[in-house]
Amino acid sequence: MLPALVVFGVFVVAPMVDGAWISLFAWDGVTVGHWVGLSNYREALVDPLVREAFGHSLVLVGFYAVLPITIGLFLTALMTHARVRGGAAVRTIIFLPQVLAAVVVGVAWKWLYDPSGPINSLLGAVGLSSLEHSWLGDFSTALPAVGVIGTWVTTGLCLVLFVAGVQRIPLSRYEAARVDGAGPVREFFAVTLPGLRNELAVAMSLSVITALRAFDIIFVTTKGGPGNATTVPSLLIYQRAFITGEVGSAAAIGAIMGAIILLLSVVITRVVEERR
Amino acid sequence: MNTGSFERTATHVMLVLFAVLALAPLVIVVLAAMHPSGTLLSGAGLPDSFSLSTFRTAWDEGGFSQRRCSRSRPGMRSGRCASRSPTCCST
């Protein structure tokens, strides 16, 4: 127990405490910082850019968590209802983006979204030239475009979790539901969904956390642009800590983000446990 | 076609559709990598001639051959490494 506590203390608790301590200073990362108390937090909470960044994170939760979970549940229901051949292959293919490095994913999708890239040329080829535009350069489409990348990456994880969960549901429940005359939809809501409660909680926690701390894909594809259209808290932390020399402010945003992630994780776990 | 086989076919179609959506970006990127170095890329078309030159460049620039040599166990001389890149296995 003690070695684990030491490792946890040195590598988890100490950096967190250090980060929280730094957030109480106005520090450029080089010269001696001076104590400002909670003013970094006050400034972060009223800063419109920080609020906008958290708003973007909220939108990304839709793409990184809600959509993948919905698609994952839909595909799981399909695979469960009609035990199809090749289900494992489909699962593997959909899981494939999960094993790729986020930087590789970002570079690949940046090319796909390029004004002269494959997506626009496919739209042109099917007669939808009017829809062609710079997906990552347009203020209105940049954030959803980045979100779609998140959906593409996270869906595989949700699907694998749900399929693993479904295999633990006794077949007798499905047989009983079918004997009672349940169709595919009723069967899903009466048997599959309640049986996947734990997996749903895990998928929701992981994907919400992924959405809130999204950095690498956004950094590679848009760097927060155009303007601040895709700026998220992680990117703000990076910019303030390493570019503009506002390390204290970056640490304060990090602490706020950490608290929000912790709070959401607790809420998700509580909700699932209460419904058990 | 009865309901059972219709459902099964529809399920297959949906699963294949999602698999294609998941795989398409990767396939497009791999196809883009197959274009000869220096080719101006546009769209998702097949290259006129398949080339692995970009992979060769990446392999060389990444220094993978040297890393492979330096990872070989001490006492096991790799003649292939020694002959291809004399500097990497001199120790």
Side-chain angles (χ1 to χ4, degrees):
Chain A
M1 186 73 176
L2 188 66
L5 278 176
V6 170
V7 171
F8 184 74
V10 171
F11 293 104
V12 180
V13 178
M16 278 170 65
V17 172
D18 195 38
W21 180 247
I22 290 171
S23 71
L24 304 174
F25 289 83
W27 184 40
D28 61 4
V30 182
T31 56
V32 180
H34 61 93
W35 177 267
V36 291
L38 293 174
S39 77
N40 279 331
Y41 289 89
R42 269 194 298 273
E43 280 170 22
L45 290 173
V46 296
D47 187 341
L49 188 58
V50 176
R51 285 184 177 191
E52 196 185 358
F54 276 103
H56 293 157
S57 284
L58 209 62
V59 174
L60 288 183
V61 167
F63 284 99
Y64 275 70
V66 179
L67 263 178
I69 287 173
T70 310
I71 296 170
L73 283 173
F74 175 66
L75 292 176
T76 307
L78 282 183
M79 288 179 184
T80 315
H81 185 69
R83 308 253 169 201
V84 289
R85 225 187 273 175
V90 171
R91 217 162 52 219
T92 308
I93 290 170
I94 295 175
F95 187 73
L96 212 55
Q98 269 286 320
V99 302
L100 296 176
V103 175
V104 176
V105 171
V107 170
W109 276 88
K110 196 175 179 182
W111 152 239
L112 292 171
Y113 280 134
D114 193 82
S116 61
I119 291 177
N120 277 342
S121 64
L122 280 175
L123 285 171
V126 296
L128 294 170
S129 309
S130 56
L131 293 178
E132 285 180 32
H133 64 290
S134 175
W135 297 96
L136 294 172
D138 190 314
F139 279 85
S140 59
T141 56
L143 191 61
V146 169
V148 166
I149 307 176
T151 307
W152 183 70
V153 172
T154 325
T155 301
L157 176 71
C158 296
L159 179 66
V160 167
L161 279 171
F162 297 151
V163 170
V166 155
Q167 283 166 357
R168 288 192 300 104
I169 301 174
L171 274 176
S172 55
R173 286 194 197 166
Y174 286 103
E175 285 162 5
R178 281 170 199 172
V179 167
D180 288 345
V185 177
R186 186 79 187 273
E187 184 184 287
F188 173 74
F189 283 105
V191 182
T192 308
L193 203 54
L196 288 177
R197 200 176 290 134
N198 292 333
E199 286 75 18
L200 265 171
V202 173
M204 212 177 284
S205 301
L206 290 178
S207 50
V208 167
I209 290 170
T210 308
L212 291 175
R213 66 176 194 190
F215 173 79
D216 27 28
I217 288 175
I218 295 169
F219 185 76
V220 173
T221 52
T222 63
K223 285 196 167 62
N228 295 316
T230 56
T231 301
V232 287
S234 308
L235 203 72
L236 271 184
I237 293 170
Y238 167 78
Q239 286 169 346
R240 292 194 178 182
F242 300 109
I243 296 174
T244 57
E246 297 169 89
V247 183
S249 171
I253 299 170
I256 293 169
M257 197 173 86
I260 290 173
I261 290 175
L262 191 68
L263 187 74
L264 279 175
S265 304
V266 170
V267 167
I268 291 168
T269 314
R270 279 278 166 87
V271 167
V272 171
E273 279 180 359
E274 273 174 18
R275 290 195 176 178
R276 191 173 288 169
Chain B
M1 189 185 277
N2 61 30
T3 317
S5 61
F6 173 76
E7 267 182 23
R8 196 168 284 270
T9 309
T11 304
H12 268 115
V13 169
M14 291 302 290
L15 290 178
V16 168
L17 183 74
F18 275 98
V20 168
L21 283 175
L23 206 55
L26 295 176
V27 172
I28 290 170
V29 170
V30 171
L31 283 178
M34 297 283 189
H35 283 77
S37 298
T39 310
L40 196 62
L41 289 178
S42 72
L46 288 169
D48 295 330
S49 61
F50 285 93
S51 164
L52 295 176
S53 59
T54 53
F55 289 93
R56 199 177 302 122
T57 309
W59 184 267
D60 291 339
E61 286 184 4
F64 291 107
S65 52
Q66 292 184 1
R67 285 198 186 119
R68 204 176 52 164
C69 291
S70 62
R71 273 189 185 175
S72 59
R73 285 193 297 178
M76 285 184 68
R77 277 188 65 89
S78 166
R80 196 166 161 225
C81 286
S83 63
R84 290 184 80 184
S85 55
T87 52
C88 72
C89 297
S90 55
T91 55

